[in-house]
Amino acid sequence: MLGNKLRFGAFIAPFHAMDENPTLCLERDLELVQWMDKLGFDEAWIGEHHSAGFELIASPELFIATVAERTRNIRLGTGVSSLPYHHPLMLADRINQLDHITRGRVMFGVGPGALPSDAFMMGIPVAKQRDRMDEALAVLVPLLRGETVSASTEWFELKDARLQMTPFSRPSVEITVASQVSPTGAQAAGLHGLGLLSIGATSTGGFNALASNWAIAEEAARAAGNTMDRNQWRLVGPMHIAATREQARADVQFGLHNWLHYFRDVAALPLAPDDGTDPVDALIANGMAVIGTPDDAVAQIERLQAQSGGFGAFLLMDHNWASWDAKRRSYEMLARYVMPRLQNLNDNRIASIDWAAKNRPEFIGQVQAAVGARIVGHIAAKGTDNISPEILAALAAAAKQA
């Protein structure tokens, strides 16, 4: 019996080089989600950032509203909305409006905010971001279910607050909490019975914390009377796929250096050693990234499945390491060759062709017998004047074998 089908998507921060036209970068992000929709990807998650110049989307809601008009099936999530930056009622109202506009295709990813420079500009103490995320989430969950909420904190107040429109999705839009290494996201997900979004699943720390973070979420869920659903657990990791490993390595020379510079020198999250070694070798060796073939991609996802104990969706960390054409091909190769293997899409096809090949002698014999009977009947009724010598010879050979 088949279980849940592993879903595929992308986590689109996005990352764009500093020498490109930002307007065209945003358009390309929209085109990427359209391409994913055509290829059959399940989800796209859109980030929120306000500083550092590399991750350009400030409002995932605006992006989702735009791309929803250009797509048909793909689900669209905030990846993630930084809760300390928004009054909870205003954010809930925008998400609820998107839920109606998209007819239920929107998902609500939440987190404390990733860039300390964003919080600095708004006068938000970095030390309080996670506390404020917890406070906001505590009221957002009931608000998005259509409930009336009153609450008072040091940074927001709600008085008999409720959404004007009943949620389109019931009981509410799907909500998921970002998690990396610390237990903050896992605890919040368990407390409210929400999904979990493991953003750094392939980094050394994130990979090692997968099983423990899920255990933390389940423990928190039990204490709160909730249950966790592995189908609502999403793991994120970077990949670039090509026909050969050599081609994949050549492709990423286009933009990998920009991405590494941003994380090493701006975002302060070193992902590959800056010691003169080949960064491609380092990213592959430590398991952080796949730069290779569909077989390498399958092996990485199976490695994540074994480490985590099972999850519902794998999201590509979108990165612009390669040119636009090579990037499109990478997404297409994942859809054509990786998804089918991990979703068991070809199991019945393989069983069918093997069965047909195994029974071919019997089937061919039945066909020959049926055709021969028709020829014999024709000869009996009309004679052999219109029958070619080749057919007569074949008929005689079949009769002799019989």
Side-chain angles (χ1 to χ4, degrees), residues 17 54 251-260 319-323:
F54 206 66
D251 287 347
V252 301
Q253 298 307 311
F254 174 86
L256 177 61
H257 58 287
N258 291 318
W259 189 82
L260 289 172
H319 42 61
N320 288 307
W321 291 348
S323 69

Side-chain angles (χ1 to χ4, degrees), residues 12 14 25-31 33 44 46-47 57 59-68 76:
I12 304 170
C25 288
L26 292 172
E27 180 60 33
R28 188 162 290 176
D29 292 330
L30 294 166
E31 291 175 8
V33 180
I46 313 303
I57 295 174
S59 172
E61 302 100 331
L62 280 176
F63 186 98
I64 288 170
T66 303
V67 82
L76 305 162

Side-chain angles (χ1 to χ4, degrees), residues 166-197:
T166 301
F168 182 89
S169 300
R170 306 299 170 85
S172 79
V173 300
E174 182 180 352
I175 306 173
T176 189
V177 186
S179 172
Q180 293 208 50
V181 177
S182 81
T184 302
Q187 289 172 338
L191 176 63
H192 299 286
L194 307 176
L196 193 62
L197 179 61

Side-chain angles (χ1 to χ4, degrees), residues 79-102:
V80 293
S81 294
S82 300
L83 298 190
Y85 305 166
H86 307 276
H87 191 285
L89 180 61
M90 297 296 97
L91 182 56
D93 232 358
R94 295 197 299 270
I95 296 300
N96 193 45
Q97 180 174 323
L98 276 179
D99 188 31
H100 283 266
I101 288 173
T102 64

Side-chain angles (χ1 to χ4, degrees), residues 65-78:
T66 303
V67 82
E69 288 294 298
R70 303 188 187 187
T71 55
R72 296 178 59 188
N73 299 306
I74 193 168
R75 300 187 71 207
L76 305 162
T78 61

